Every structure is written in structure tokens, then in C-alpha cells.
């Protein structure tokens, strides 16, 4: 059973109904998903999102082929979702290391809570999430300036 099926009480293979919006938004009753691209203008950025609430799940991916030292995928869970599901559902940031290969740093603090793990911050994990914005990228591993990223925000799970 996948995470959304567990939370929504759906059976495997069952689909939620909803309407697609013109900007890539899907509304499935109480559960909503928002998706939007943004251009990286700095290695570390504060990005405004369109959800209007703190997302329960926030996923960010690069739209291009990543290079060394660049964040190419980040996944974060709100503190409410971490508490509901347990700490095995942690926030992760994945980047290409300077020496080659992908590396992953994790944190079990919700993306909407104060982040105290300096390695997670320096490596660019999702943090400082509010109903209007989030921070992504870090001083050690960050966004690739000039490339486009896509965020997907899922709300209404808890």
C-alpha cells in the first residue's frame, strides 16, 4: 500500500476523482495538489508557492540534467504528517557529489518546523515552509542557477 492510499483510506488501484486546473493543479475533494516551475536565480532561494497553506508533502525536482554539486531532488513532509506516519518518513535532499555519484541527506524534522541540522541546511534541504513560501538550496550544495525546477505541493492529507 502506498503512502497516499494509506492516508486517504483508498484501496490499491482506486483513483481519486477531481478536476485539473489550467496551471497543473489537481483538486481531489479535500486533498489538493499544486505544481509550478521556477527558475533558480541563486544557489539558495526562497520560493513563493501557490498552495495557500503549508503543504503536507513538498517535492522539488530539477527539469534539466543536473551537474556536480547541484540539488536535483528534494522531498519534505510537514510535521503533522511526520507525527501521523512516524519518523521513517523523513525529509530528504539528493544531490550530485563533486567526486561523482548521488548523495542523500535526511532530517526527521517537519519542513514547517525550525531546522537545526546544519548539514541538512548546507546541503539544500527544504525548510522554512509557510503557507506562502519555502526555502531550498544550501551553501554547500545548491540549486543550479539558470536551470528550472518544478515543485509539487500536496495539501489536505492531515
Amino acid at each position: 500500500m502506498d503512502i497516499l492510499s494509506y492516508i486517504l483510506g483508498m484501496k490499491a488501484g482506486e483513483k481519486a476523482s477531481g478536476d485539473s486546473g489550467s496551471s497543473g493543479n489537481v483538486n481531489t475533494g479535500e486533498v489538493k495538489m499544486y505544481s509550478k516551475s521556477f527558475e533558480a536565480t541563486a544557489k539558495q532561494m526562497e520560493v513563493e508557492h501557490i498552495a495557500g497553506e503549508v503543504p503536507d508533502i513538498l517535492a522539488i525536482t530539477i527539469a534539466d540534467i543536473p551537474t556536480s554539486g547541484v540539488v536535483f531532488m528534494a522531498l519534505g513532509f510537514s510535521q503533522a504528517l511526520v507525527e501521523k506516519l512516524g519518523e521513517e518518513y523523513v525529509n530528504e535532499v539528493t544531490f550530485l557529489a563533486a567526486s561523482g555519484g548521488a548523495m542523500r541527506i535526511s532530517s526527521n524534522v517537519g519542513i514547517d518546523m525550525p531546522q537545526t541540522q546544519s548539514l541538512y541546511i548546507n546541503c539544500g534541504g527544504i525548510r522554512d515552509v509557510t503557507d506562502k513560501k519555502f526555502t531550498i538550496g544550501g551553501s554547500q550544495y545548491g540549486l543550479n542557477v539558470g536551470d528550472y525546477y518544478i515543485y509539487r505541493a500536496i495539501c489536505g492529507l492531515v
Side-chain angles (χ1 to χ4, degrees):
M1 176 178 282
D2 68 15
I3 187 171
L4 287 178
S5 297
Y6 173 79
I7 294 167
L8 299 174
M10 297 167 55
K11 297 176 184 163
E14 193 175 28
K15 297 187 186 268
S17 61
D19 299 322
S20 290
S22 60
S23 63
N25 305 330
V26 176
N27 183 341
T28 57
E30 293 296 317
V31 177
K32 300 168 285 293
M33 185 179 86
Y34 303 89
S35 180
K36 189 173 179 183
S37 66
F38 64 93
E39 182 179 3
T41 56
K43 199 172 172 179
Q44 177 176 298
M45 289 180 58
E46 186 176 277
V47 178
E48 290 185 13
H49 66 78
I50 58 175
E53 60 185 294
V54 173
D56 292 312
I57 300 174
L58 187 57
I60 301 163
T61 55
I62 193 168
D64 202 354
I65 298 170
T67 58
S68 177
V70 170
V71 169
F72 66 88
M73 198 283 298
L75 177 65
F77 297 92
S78 69
Q79 187 63 33
L81 193 56
V82 169
E83 290 172 5
K84 180 173 178 107
L85 298 175
E87 291 183 6
E88 68 267 17
Y89 292 94
V90 295
N91 308 316
E92 296 179 345
V93 59
T94 306
F95 49 89
L96 292 180
S99 60
M103 295 181 66
R104 181 178 301 148
I105 302 295
S106 301
S107 169
N108 63 359
V109 175
I111 55 176
D112 52 333
M113 300 298 289
Q115 181 56 250
T116 59
Q117 187 179 342
S118 61
L119 185 58
Y120 180 80
I121 293 169
N122 293 338
C123 291
I126 303 168
R127 59 201 181 276
D128 304 327
V129 176
T130 70
D131 61 340
K132 295 180 173 123
K133 60 150 187 93
F134 61 87
T135 300
I136 181 79
S139 58
Q140 188 172 359
Y141 294 97
L143 304 178
N144 199 25
V145 175
D147 274 349
Y148 282 86
Y149 286 76
I150 299 168
Y151 74 77
R152 289 170 183 85
I154 300 172
C155 304
L157 297 175
V158 292

